[in-house]
Amino acid sequence: MNEAVLDVRDLEAGYEPGVPIVRGASIIVNKGEIVVVLGPNGAGKSSLIKAIAGLVPISRGKVLLDGKDVTAAPAHTMVHLGLAFVPQTENVFPLMSVEDNLKVAGGILERRQAPARIEEMYAMFPDLARQKRSAAGNLSGGQRQMLAVARALIVHPKVLVLDEPSAGLSPKFVSMVFEMLSAIRKSGVTILLVEQNAKAALAIGDRAYVLVEGKDRHEGVASTLWDDPVVAELYLGQRPLKREAGGAA
Ligand SMILES: Nc1ncnc2c1ncn2[C@@H]1O[C@H](COP(=O)(O)OP(=O)(O)O)[C@@H](O)[C@H]1O
Ligand SMILES: [Mg+2]
């Protein structure tokens, strides 16, 4: 049987009381999977994963992490519980060196373990090793995302949750980010990924959900979701195939 690392049930969450943005979303991430959340702008994708990470108040539903109810856990405890969240922006300290960024992130490890774990991150991300003394703010966009991901991975999370890691990057760095996520999954890390770049995300994902107006509207195997006419209409802004067959644009 599949082992759910993250089990989100009927979640309702929002920034103001009585104004839910996430309106009954349910998603499951099994051990070892990459699960992708797609959806139009403003669908509530960021709000959903922020609520999972404890950053947006939850008014209904549950978040189970490795079977443990973490619905009410404060954001700063989530990393200790095994959930590492990489926000879309402001995910590194730009004035601090690469090395200091990693040291801060590794601060919850046992003191004796931290240096070896930082070396492991350098082995995994050689670009970071080469630039360990550079300020994080001087890295390229792609390398900065690498550092943000390394900061999240350093604590051996049960699940890595990322908000649009490819946003704003040039095409070369976009492919680098997706290759990096693929490699991380191969190393055994479970990933929940929100992306706008649907095609590339579905190419590396196992399963995907389409979120519309705060609710999961569609779920499927990532490799077949791209060709699904329902998804094309809901998310990709394409007309349904039968209408398109008529020819008139
Ligand atoms: N900090 C906030 N305070 C109030 N409303 C917000 C905040 N962040 C996002 N929203 C609102 O929540 C809705 C969903 O936004 P978001 O979760 O960012 O969607 P997505 O990531 O899918 O584009 C939008 O209507 C947005 O205006
Ligand atoms: Mg967003």
Side-chain angles (χ1 to χ4, degrees):
M1 215 183 96
N2 285 330
E3 203 182 320
V5 174
L6 197 59
D7 184 350
V8 178
R9 297 187 189 165
D10 192 28
L11 204 70
E12 185 184 87
Y15 303 88
E16 294 165 54
V19 189
I21 299 290
V22 178
R23 301 189 236 185
S26 298
I27 60 171
I28 286 182
V29 185
N30 293 308
K31 197 167 167 57
E33 279 186 319
I34 294 184
V35 170
V36 181
V37 177
L38 304 171
N41 247 330
K45 302 179 299 296
S46 294
S47 303
L48 168 63
I49 56 173
K50 284 184 195 164
I52 292 170
L55 295 163
V56 173
I58 293 170
S59 43
R60 194 185 74 214
K62 267 193 190 350
V63 179
L64 305 176
L65 179 59
D66 229 4
K68 186 178 153 78
D69 190 336
V70 299
T71 316
H76 70 272
T77 64
M78 291 305 284
V79 68
H80 297 266
L81 294 165
L83 183 142
F85 175 54
V86 181
Q88 187 176 345
T89 56
E90 293 170 35
N91 49 25
V92 300
F93 296 109
L95 300 177
M96 281 171 44
S97 69
V98 167
E99 180 128 319
D100 285 345
N101 265 277
L102 292 174
K103 279 185 183 159
V104 170
I108 70 164
L109 297 171
E110 256 185 68
R111 254 234 179 92
R112 289 180 299 129
Q113 292 176 350
R117 187 63 182 149
I118 288 176
E119 288 309 315
E120 282 172 23
M121 292 298 107
Y122 286 151
M124 199 169 197
F125 306 103
D127 278 25
L128 298 183
R130 279 193 286 275
Q131 307 209 60
K132 57 173 89 167
R133 317 243 175 273
S134 310
N138 291 339
L139 298 175
S140 71
Q143 289 168 341
R144 203 171 326 155
Q145 289 299 31
M146 223 181 243
L147 177 59
V149 170
R151 296 186 75 238
L153 281 181
I154 203 165
V155 297
H156 294 290
K158 290 175 181 150
V159 59
L160 176 65
V161 181
L162 306 116
D163 196 355
E164 297 201 31
S166 79
L169 299 180
S170 63
K172 184 179 113 193
F173 289 129
V174 169
S175 9
M176 194 188 84
V177 163
F178 285 107
E179 279 161 25
M180 166 180 80
L181 294 177
S182 235
I184 290 169
R185 191 269 296 277
K186 284 207 186 91
S187 78
V189 179
T190 304
I191 297 176
L192 175 60
L193 172 66
V194 165
E195 260 299 333
Q196 281 289 346
N197 201 331
K199 194 167 192 177
L202 291 175
I204 62 159
D206 296 293
R207 288 183 308 110
Y209 294 83
V210 180
L211 196 76
V212 180
E213 292 173 4
K215 217 174 149 28
D216 51 301
R217 279 279 196 82
H218 202 80
E219 191 221 323
V221 173
S223 57
T224 58
L225 212 63
W226 181 254
D227 296 319
D228 186 317
V230 180
V231 173
E233 188 185 14
L234 270 178
Y235 172 62
L236 303 166
Q238 297 170 12
R239 291 186 182 177
L241 297 177
K242 54 183 175 350
R243 256 183 277 158
E244 221 169 50

